[in-house]
Structures are given as C-alpha cells and as structure tokens.
Amino acid sequence: EDKLPMHFPKPLRNLRETWGDLRLIFERPLGYQPLPDVREYFGEEIAFYFLFLKELIVFSLPLAIMSAACQLWYYTGEAVGCARVLMSLMLVIWFRTFTKYWKRVEAEYANAWGRS
C-alpha cells in the first residue's frame, strides 16, 4: 500500500515564496537556505542535506577560481607539469579542509537541533 505525505498549505506556500522560486537566486545571498523552515516542514535529515549543499556551494567557489587560474596557466603552455601538480595539491588541501569544516558545522547544527 502506497502512502503519501500530508502537506500543509500555509508552510508549503511560505517555502515556495521564500525558497522555491528561481527568481530569488539573484535576491538572496549565495547558498541561501531557510534551514529552520526546511527543518520544521521536512525534518532534520532533509535539513542536513540542504545544509550540506549550502556549505558545499559556498566552499567550492574558491576552488573554482583557483581551478580556472590553473587552467589558464596550463593552456599558456608554460610549466604544464607545475600547473597539474599545483591543481592536484590544491584539490587535496581543499578536500581535507572542507571535510574538517563540514564535521564542525554538522556538529554545531546537530547540537543546536538536539541530535547526538
């Protein structure tokens, strides 16, 4: 037997107006997520998913800029090997930094939301 979740019109309308409209992309800060509203409506697991996406988007911007710089350096033809090594090193450092940062953010929100 299939079961569908019950939707509540007022909170759902609020989420659509503040979050579910693509026109809001340019009006909100980068990675904006109304986490308290998402948590209240969908639950903590879904809120953690969107929290992770928010942090990943914001944290990926410096990596994207550094990657573009390395690609430009690579395509100039000068020190091709150095560009590859530098990009690999930056990616390893970024990954390690992001995982440490995410563990801290996840623990902060888990503590604030009363999860262990």
Side-chain angles (χ1 to χ4, degrees):
E1 177 180 317
D2 292 337
K3 295 182 182 181
L4 298 174
M6 189 169 168
H7 292 286
F8 300 101
K10 187 176 179 183
L12 189 57
R13 190 174 336 105
N14 181 36
L15 279 173
R16 282 187 185 142
E17 291 171 358
T18 61
W19 185 48
D21 190 351
L22 288 177
R23 291 174 285 183
L24 297 173
I25 289 176
F26 301 108
E27 296 175 11
R28 303 274 193 240
L30 181 68
Y32 171 78
Q33 302 287 345
L35 292 173
D37 296 336
V38 172
R39 177 181 172 237
E40 183 179 320
Y41 192 78
F42 293 108
E44 290 174 354
E45 288 184 21
I46 303 298
F48 270 112
Y49 172 75
F50 284 106
L51 173 64
F52 177 76
L53 287 181
K54 172 193 156 210
E55 299 299 333
L56 183 63
I57 288 168
V58 171
F59 219 80
S60 293
L61 278 181
L63 181 65
I65 292 168
M66 291 184 293
S67 298
C70 278
Q71 284 293 350
L72 287 174
W73 190 25
Y74 177 77
Y75 286 125
T76 60
E78 299 175 16
V80 172
C82 287
R84 287 182 178 168
V85 169
L86 182 63
M87 183 60 205
S88 300
L89 185 62
M90 285 188 320
L91 192 56
V92 168
I93 292 170
W94 177 88
F95 177 76
R96 185 68 179 147
T97 306
F98 178 72
T99 54
K100 290 261 188 195
Y101 174 76
W102 170 245
K103 285 180 185 179
R104 189 187 70 193
V105 169
E106 184 182 30
E108 286 175 11
Y109 275 86
N111 188 28
W113 291 346
R115 294 190 63 158
S116 56

